[in-house]
Amino acid sequence: MTLIKGYMMKKMMKLSLLLACTVYSQASLAEICSQNYNELPGLVGLDSASGNIYATTRSNTNECSCSEVRFTKENTDTDTALSILLAAKMANKKVRVDLKDKNDCNTAYRVYVH
């Protein structure tokens, strides 16, 4: 009887692990993208009452095909992102923007000053 319980327990653990791996792999199918050397030629600021941050970008390389990006509270600390974007704009510096999904310019989650 205990042998059967042990066997069933192992099977359940394997099934649980397989299920967890499948769910994780589905969640990480979106491919990240880094868009480098962006100028900030236009608007930068608060986009909505929900706290989304908007920035107009222009890049010679344009790896992510974004001419505008949005940082949302679900993806990042928007206060910090806004601070970095405004500092870069005022200093006329270029920025790198990382997107969680290369096909969605509204998924920005990191910003770096070049």
Side-chain angles (χ1 to χ4, degrees):
M1 186 69 154
T2 58
L3 186 59
I4 294 173
K5 278 186 180 179
Y7 176 76
M8 292 301 289
M9 191 76 125
K10 283 183 182 180
K11 285 290 186 189
M12 290 301 289
M13 287 176 60
K14 286 181 182 179
L15 181 61
S16 297
L17 184 59
L18 180 62
L19 182 61
C21 289
T22 303
V23 169
Y24 176 76
S25 68
Q26 293 297 319
S28 61
L29 282 178
E31 188 177 335
I32 63 169
C33 186
S34 294
Q35 185 162 301
N36 289 288
Y37 303 104
N38 294 282
E39 297 173 3
L40 300 169
L43 298 173
V44 172
L46 184 65
D47 192 39
S48 69
S50 64
N52 294 345
I53 304 303
Y54 172 87
T56 304
T57 60
R58 180 173 52 224
S59 172
N60 291 337
T61 55
N62 204 12
E63 299 94 340
C64 306
S65 302
C66 293
S67 59
E68 56 189 40
V69 293
R70 281 189 178 80
F71 295 83
T72 63
K73 289 187 180 276
E74 294 81 26
N75 292 333
T76 195
D77 177 354
T78 54
D79 293 336
T80 303
L82 179 60
S83 297
I84 294 167
L85 289 166
L86 289 174
K89 184 167 178 70
M90 292 173 62
N92 202 26
K93 295 287 186 180
K94 294 180 180 181
V95 295
R96 175 181 129 188
V97 176
D98 292 348
L99 304 171
K100 285 188 173 184
D101 182 348
K102 72 175 186 173
N103 297 314
D104 186 354
C105 298
N106 296 324
T107 62
Y109 72 106
R110 292 191 301 206
V111 61
Y112 301 92
V113 177
H114 277 288

